[in-house]
Amino acid sequence: MRYVGLARRCAVGILLCWCLSGCFPASDSQTDEKREPYFINGKSLVGQMDYQGAIDSFEKALEVNPRSASAHFELGWLYEDKANDPAAAIYHYERYLKFSAHPDQADVVHQHINSCKLELAKTVSAVGPLASPAQRELERVLIENKQLRDNVTTLQSQLEQMKGTPVARVPEPAYVTPLPQTQVERNPAPSRPVVMTPHNTEHIGPSSSTHPIPKTYSIKSGDNPAALARRFGVSLNSLMAANPQVNPKHLHVGQILNIPAP
């Protein structure tokens, strides 16, 4: 009886070790992977022969759970048989072997990996098979290339999401109300130098011996009485007294003014 009790205790201990090591939850974990919505949608698209759509859906399932061995296995055979991408197939087959707690198809997967490696060797070297170290380096580079392409795809999707973010608006410049005519007359803009021509004897500043003050002046655009009085060195009152017919607030281009002596 003592040996029977000892055997029972050993059996109970073995069962506890199995439970603690995660042997039983692993099957449940694989079942949960296959219940993931993107995984289910990928299987449905495979049944509809939409292989590219299935690849996209299984890739999204990996974004939700990067350790999904079931999604890696589906992508492995899709890239091998449907997309003709042996490097990507090798990448996903190896991830399946790594993340699957009980890879029941391990032998088959190893055969597929070797087949993909042969396809890569055919495309790389037309002269002959590569040496073993070069072959391993090629496989490593191709797998890294696949990882980089996955990263680029993820960054592109993030960038598309960021494009919907509203951009801060730059405030518009304030509108400046133009001064009325009377204010312009009080603060006239500096007069520009006048080019002397045979038909125009106006000059800047007070009269001089070389440029006598003209007797008449033809109004031009932008002229006003106060600026003209300063230009010809006369007072505003004397200028307006010499031109009683002129309305100082309504000068017209081409209108003739009499210029009094200073």
Side-chain angles (χ1 to χ4, degrees), residues 48-100:
Q48 301 172 24
M49 301 180 68
D50 182 4
Y51 300 118
Q52 185 57 49
I55 290 175
D56 295 338
S57 189
F58 286 128
E59 292 285 3
K60 291 180 180 178
L62 288 180
E63 292 180 8
V64 176
N65 180 15
R67 301 177 64 86
S68 174
S70 302
H72 278 297
F73 179 81
E74 297 293 337
L75 285 168
W77 80 264
L78 280 170
Y79 277 117
E80 179 185 6
D81 292 343
K82 306 302 179 183
N84 193 24
D85 190 344
I90 293 172
Y91 169 79
H92 287 290
Y93 280 142
E94 290 182 345
R95 289 300 181 274
Y96 164 76
L97 294 174
K98 178 179 180 180
F99 297 134
S100 179

Side-chain angles (χ1 to χ4, degrees), residues 179-198:
L179 295 173
Q181 181 66 26
T182 55
Q183 185 69 22
V184 174
E185 292 178 0
R186 296 194 192 102
N187 302 280
S191 57
R192 294 176 295 177
V194 179
V195 179
M196 303 301 294
T197 64

Side-chain angles (χ1 to χ4, degrees), residues 18-134:
W18 283 351
C19 293
L20 293 175
S21 63
C23 293
F24 296 121
S27 177
D28 295 338
S29 176
Q30 292 181 357
T31 302
D32 292 340
E33 292 173 359
K34 296 180 179 180
R35 292 175 180 172
E36 201 281 322
Y38 285 120
F39 184 90
I40 295 174
N41 184 57
K43 296 290 287 185
S44 175
L45 292 174
V46 169
Q48 301 172 24
M49 301 180 68
D50 182 4
Y51 300 118
Q52 185 57 49
I55 290 175
D56 295 338
S57 189
F58 286 128
E59 292 285 3
K60 291 180 180 178
L62 288 180
E63 292 180 8
V64 176
N65 180 15
R67 301 177 64 86
S68 174
S70 302
H72 278 297
F73 179 81
E74 297 293 337
L75 285 168
W77 80 264
L78 280 170
Y79 277 117
E80 179 185 6
D81 292 343
K82 306 302 179 183
N84 193 24
D85 190 344
I90 293 172
Y91 169 79
H92 287 290
Y93 280 142
E94 290 182 345
R95 289 300 181 274
Y96 164 76
L97 294 174
K98 178 179 180 180
F99 297 134
S100 179
H102 296 287
D104 50 354
Q105 304 184 55
D107 293 337
V108 176
V109 169
H110 281 298
Q111 293 177 6
H112 282 283
I113 291 175
N114 292 332
S115 177
C116 291
K117 289 180 179 180
L118 291 176
E119 291 298 322
L120 286 176
K122 292 178 183 178
T123 59
V124 171
S125 177
V127 178
L130 296 176
S132 180

Side-chain angles (χ1 to χ4, degrees), residues 120-147:
L120 286 176
K122 292 178 183 178
T123 59
V124 171
S125 177
V127 178
L130 296 176
S132 180
Q135 178 68 25
R136 288 195 296 270
E137 180 65 17
L138 172 63
E139 294 169 3
R140 183 187 66 79
V141 171
L142 291 174
I143 291 174
E144 289 182 355
N145 182 53
K146 174 64 174 67
Q147 293 174 337

Side-chain angles (χ1 to χ4, degrees), residues 140-171:
R140 183 187 66 79
V141 171
L142 291 174
I143 291 174
E144 289 182 355
N145 182 53
K146 174 64 174 67
Q147 293 174 337
L148 290 174
R149 285 191 295 170
D150 292 342
N151 292 338
V152 170
T153 302
T154 302
L155 291 174
Q156 287 177 343
S157 62
Q158 294 176 355
L159 181 61
E160 291 296 330
Q161 295 175 359
M162 292 175 61
K163 287 183 179 179
T165 305
V167 181
R169 293 176 58 86
V170 179

